[in-house]
Amino acid sequence: MCHNILYVLDKNVSLATTEAMQPPINCFLPTLADESAPYLFPCTIQFCFVASPAIWKIFNNIGTHHTAPDKSESHQTTVNCQKAHKGLFLGVLMGVIALIAISTYFVSSTLFAKNLQTALHIYYSTNLALLLITSIAASAAFVKLQQLDFQNFPESCFDSTIMQFAVFGTIAYSVFTIIASSGDFDNHDLVGYLSLGLACFNIIQVIIQTIFICDGLNRHATSEKSVNSKPGRAVVTFLLVCNLVLWIVSTFSVEKVENNDIFERFYGFLPWKIIVHMFLPMVIFYRFYATVCLSQIWSQAYKL
């Protein structure tokens, strides 16, 4: 009897020891899903934003007669980077600075909770400077591209319509941010004022850049002089790289938005979550589609 009891106890201890030594495999995937969910949910909505106009374009082209290209001619795809090196260098430099600011924020918010406010100051200041610089660059590019001929291309109307849809969401999100940031100045520190300034400059930058993109999509060179000089191409390259950086920054700003309690304190937890999930994907999509349109200007505007 005693031998059986000791055998059962020894078996239970062995099973408990074996289970304790096994890694918690089942706990890893839920944790990974919870941590990555804030960064992945805008991707689903962005896919719908991209797929819907693409399907609409396919629908409109059904039954349309297209002339087949001559197979006897050799078609070679070449990329001419003339007059783009300065803009590329400055754009990469701004991208490195912005990525350093993002890394500083995430390291400080994760490992050093006491330095969270300092990290937010760096984050907001970097984005504010980036929006100010890109606003000036978009204005300069708009002036330079006036040297090219304007022609209303049908394809540009499609891109302009999508851009206007994304602009609506971006401005709406910035307006909600401005209302919350200016609602109670007495309780705000420097983060609140930086958030207010960032939202205001975001609206200004988006309006200036959208006007430039809608105009630039209809510009093209009409002389060899314009093809060789390529007016404004360096600035277009700079804007292209900066919008790509802003797209990455906007994607990772979900965590920043959730850590800033100014908006939740003003709107409440659930209303602010609804605002974020409705309009933040449009903000991210705007930067993505602005990059696509700028690449079209970069490659098509300087061809005869």
Side-chain angles (χ1 to χ4, degrees), residues 263-277:
F263 312 113
E264 289 186 4
R265 189 170 61 244
F266 184 84
Y267 291 108
F269 178 79
L270 183 59
W272 176 242
K273 292 299 180 184
I274 294 174
I275 292 171
V276 169
H277 283 73

Side-chain angles (χ1 to χ4, degrees), residues 134-144 208-209 212 235 239:
T134 50
S135 299
I136 298 173
S139 302
F142 178 81
V143 174
K144 287 182 175 294
I208 294 174
Q209 181 173 267
F212 160 67
V235 188
L239 284 172

Side-chain angles (χ1 to χ4, degrees), residues 12-290:
N12 291 335
V13 171
S14 300
L15 290 174
T17 305
T18 304
E19 292 177 356
M21 293 177 62
Q22 291 180 351
I25 299 176
N26 296 331
C27 298
F28 174 72
L29 292 179
T31 303
L32 180 62
D34 292 339
E35 293 182 355
S36 60
Y39 307 106
L40 294 180
F41 91 86
C43 298
T44 305
I45 304 175
Q46 286 184 79
F47 174 78
C48 297
F49 287 159
V50 175
S52 298
I55 294 173
W56 176 255
K57 203 165 188 177
I58 294 172
F59 174 77
N60 288 333
N61 288 330
I62 294 176
T64 305
H65 178 72
H66 296 280
T67 305
D70 189 1
K71 296 183 178 180
S72 62
E73 298 180 359
S74 59
H75 297 277
Q76 296 181 354
T77 302
T78 59
V79 178
N80 185 4
C81 296
Q82 184 182 2
K83 305 291 184 179
H85 301 89
K86 293 180 180 179
L88 180 62
F89 173 76
L90 292 176
V92 170
L93 179 62
M94 295 299 298
V96 170
I97 295 173
L99 292 178
I100 290 174
I102 294 176
S103 302
T104 304
Y105 168 75
F106 277 102
V107 171
S108 300
S109 61
T110 305
L111 301 179
F112 309 103
K114 296 180 180 179
N115 296 329
L116 179 59
Q117 293 297 317
T118 304
L120 285 173
H121 295 166
I122 297 173
Y123 186 90
Y124 278 116
S125 300
T126 304
N127 283 277
L128 193 60
L130 191 59
L131 289 176
L132 178 60
I133 294 172
T134 50
S135 299
I136 298 173
S139 302
F142 178 81
V143 174
K144 287 182 175 294
L145 259 68
Q146 299 304 307
Q147 302 177 31
L148 303 179
D149 188 58
F150 182 87
Q151 183 177 353
N152 194 6
F153 296 107
E155 296 83 2
S156 65
C157 297
F158 181 78
D159 293 325
S160 300
T161 303
I162 300 176
M163 284 288 295
Q164 292 170 11
F165 171 75
V167 167
F168 164 75
T170 304
I171 294 178
Y173 182 78
S174 297
V175 169
F176 280 114
T177 304
I178 291 172
I179 293 173
S181 299
S182 60
D184 188 7
F185 279 113
D186 296 334
N187 296 328
H188 285 178
D189 54 3
L190 184 57
V191 174
Y193 297 112
L194 288 175
S195 176
L196 177 61
L198 184 64
C200 294
F201 271 100
N202 189 43
I203 293 176
I204 296 172
Q205 196 273 339
V206 165
I207 292 175
I208 294 174
Q209 181 173 267
T210 304
I211 293 173
F212 160 67
I213 290 176
C214 293
D215 179 78
L217 289 171
N218 294 287
R219 296 283 176 180
H220 69 99
T222 56
S223 63
E224 290 292 339
K225 181 181 179 181
S226 299
V227 173
N228 295 328
S229 62
K230 291 180 171 56
R233 199 182 200 191
V235 188
V236 173
T237 307
F238 175 75
L239 284 172
L240 194 156
V241 177
C242 286
N243 275 271
L244 184 61
V245 172
L246 286 170
W247 174 65
I248 298 173
V249 171
S250 300
T251 303
F252 286 97
S253 68
V254 179
E255 184 74 16
K256 178 262 302 180
V257 168
E258 292 185 350
N259 283 339
N260 195 345
D261 61 348
I262 296 174
F263 312 113
E264 289 186 4
R265 189 170 61 244
F266 184 84
Y267 291 108
F269 178 79
L270 183 59
W272 176 242
K273 292 299 180 184
I274 294 174
I275 292 171
V276 169
H277 283 73
M278 283 183 60
F279 296 110
L280 188 59
M282 295 185 187
V283 176
I284 302 173
F285 176 72
Y286 172 80
R287 295 301 172 186
F288 169 78
Y289 207 77

